[in-house]
Amino acid sequence: MNKFLIYVVEDDSFFLNLILKNFEKNKNYVIRGFSSGENCLNEIDSHPDVVILDYILDPQQTGKMTGIEVYNKIRAKVVKTKIIFLSGQDDVNVILELVKMGARDYVTK
């Protein structure tokens, strides 16, 4: 059986570690964590099956990409990868916009 390759992009180290620990329990997954979109994009040629992507990546870090920018770059390179947004945002309009863009799902922290 082939293992699913899952990338998690989350700038909050607590949430990143929490997600990684939960997914690592399943032996059918290969899980990789990234604290920035740029780091994830450096490894995107491995064609992950799923990317769990934080909607609001650290806005305090100038020069860093937002979740939407990372999403668009992933989409341009690996169309088949499923992308699930993860965020503390619970605005229905934001969620609907992401789904219209093609996000596979949206999970609120």
Side-chain angles (χ1 to χ4, degrees):
M1 173 185 228
N2 290 337
K3 294 185 177 191
F4 288 98
L5 179 56
I6 301 172
Y7 284 3
V8 179
V9 183
E10 170 60 68
D11 59 342
D12 183 311
S13 61
F14 173 79
F15 281 112
L16 179 59
N17 288 324
L18 183 69
I19 294 165
L20 294 176
K21 292 287 183 209
N22 279 296
F23 275 106
E24 288 171 349
K25 295 175 186 176
N26 189 320
K27 301 300 179 200
N28 293 320
Y29 300 149
V30 174
I31 186 86
R32 300 268 328 269
F34 302 94
S35 61
S36 74
E38 290 81 1
N39 291 342
C40 173
L41 290 168
N42 287 337
E43 301 291 326
I44 205 67
D45 289 337
S46 295
H47 297 272
D49 297 291
V50 176
V51 174
I52 300 171
L53 177 60
D54 188 8
Y55 175 70
I56 299 180
L57 294 170
D58 193 353
Q60 310 306 327
Q61 295 182 18
T62 56
K64 296 288 185 180
M65 284 188 275
T66 67
I68 297 294
E69 291 170 322
V70 174
Y71 172 87
N72 288 328
K73 290 196 179 279
I74 292 171
R75 267 295 149 252
K77 292 194 113 191
V78 287
V79 177
K80 293 184 180 183
T81 295
K82 293 171 180 54
I83 300 174
I84 299 170
F85 274 96
L86 173 70
S87 184
Q89 289 279 332
D90 61 357
D91 182 342
V92 173
N93 293 320
V94 170
I95 297 167
L96 289 175
E97 188 61 33
L98 294 173
V99 171
K100 283 181 192 174
M101 287 176 52
R104 181 72 175 175
D105 207 342
Y106 185 93
V107 177
T108 304
K109 292 181 191 175

